[in-house]
Amino acid sequence: MNQNTTHNLDTLVEELAAVLEAALEEAVPLAQQEETELRDLEEVTQGAMKQVGQRFLELLVEVCRPEERPATIPCRCGGTAEFERHREGTGLTTTGQIAVTRAYYLCAECHEGTYPLDERLGFCAGGLSAALQEALALIGIHLPFAIASEVFERLTGVSISDNGVRESTERIGQERREAEQAMIEAAWDPERFELPEGPEKAPERLYGSIDGTSVRTEEGWREAKLGSWYRTEEAPEEEPPGEWELHAEAIEYYGDIKEAESFGRLVYLTGRQRGAHRAEELIFIADGAQWIWNVVEEHFPDAVQIVDWYHATEYIWEVAHAAYGEGSDMAQEWAAARLDELWHGDFDDVLRAFRDHVTPEWDEDPARRAINYFQNNRHRMCYPAFRDQGYQIGSGTIESGCKRVIGARLKQAGMTWTGDGARQVIKARALHLSGQWDDFCSHRPPPRRTYTCCVA
């Protein structure tokens, strides 16, 4: 710090010392009382740190103010804004509310006012700082907003309403949504056709997966869709192909509540960001939902398609229970034989076993459902060949993703969401659980407030 700054170091230290001294004058008598406990001292210390932190931040903002104020500055409209006066503004930060005095300029051409210091620092008078928004959102994506508000105040001493937590959380999700939408529009604009290039090095083996889960909204139950991209750890060389349990890593999630065609575009572009278009091997694992495979075949026609092993086995068990009684020894034996046939690729034997138990008089015959499912997905159920290639054959990654990203936060007891609120929270949670939170927040535009002059 040099002598040209608004305050020199000695002045700043003196001002902070005065705040700290006042806090100590209040705290020391409390500490001298015999009935005082550590809890009481921690509480008073937290209050003192808040006071010191607020003043510390205010002083740093003052240091950022230029020593010499120009009479005019360029306006965004191309005109010239003239200095009007100094104004004080308050804003809520992670340290609490701070007051900032800064120069105000007004453009005679567009009548828009501006504060250069606000522009430089990203200060938004009357609003929340970017750091505070991000801190609130980070709690809001994990906890109900009312609880998040209580926890935040308990930890920081800064009081924020549950509505403030909700707005901050949804703001992050909305910004993520806008970024994704801009990417989609740029890619599907025939004049621009801008596509993500992806990583410099093409992935050797990349997995994709898609699934859906229901979320209760004010418009009724709606399907929230989730996509994921990931790779798996390499099996040890001494392990035979297909014998090593593959675990997903470097998982990235992308979620939304929208129609399959529109969601497919998001899956396609996020796949390109991971290098799906240049991957040596691209494998998609999902259940048998037709909309999922329509998306895969449209955007990734060369991908290996695998129906999740566990979804396939559920059909076998449904037939076994219907034919022999749930929990019976016969059901166990029959299902075990079919599972063994499917595992070793004896597909036709499984179909014959299903046909033996078709009951035409049943409207919802498990055997007929199983036959249709298996026939429609036969090319996606070549499990011996998939295992020989060392592919993962279970969709546990996306199923656990639906629980982590969507279910754990949006499907708690009694929760009903607005459609937009659900989408934004899903996107914010997906961002965090993909390990992209810090990078995204570091590139966020600062909160901005537009000031206009009312002309009669």
Side-chain angles (χ1 to χ4, degrees), residues 134-178:
E134 291 155 17
L136 293 172
L138 192 55
I139 300 179
I141 62 173
H142 293 294
L143 297 174
F145 300 131
I147 297 175
S149 170
E150 179 184 355
V151 169
F152 189 81
E153 183 173 2
R154 180 66 63 92
L155 293 176
T156 67
V158 179
S159 178
I160 301 289
S161 69
D162 54 347
N163 195 50
V165 179
R166 178 189 59 78
E167 290 176 352
S168 295
T169 306
E170 293 181 356
R171 181 69 252 169
I172 298 288
Q174 178 63 20
E175 290 174 7
R176 173 69 163 187
R177 177 180 172 184
E178 291 169 356

Side-chain angles (χ1 to χ4, degrees), residues 355-376:
R355 293 189 184 102
D356 289 341
H357 293 286
V358 169
T359 307
E361 60 269 23
W362 288 4
D363 292 334
E364 295 293 331
D365 181 16
R368 280 187 294 174
R369 278 203 311 269
I371 292 170
N372 291 335
Y373 184 88
F374 274 57
Q375 287 179 332
N376 291 337

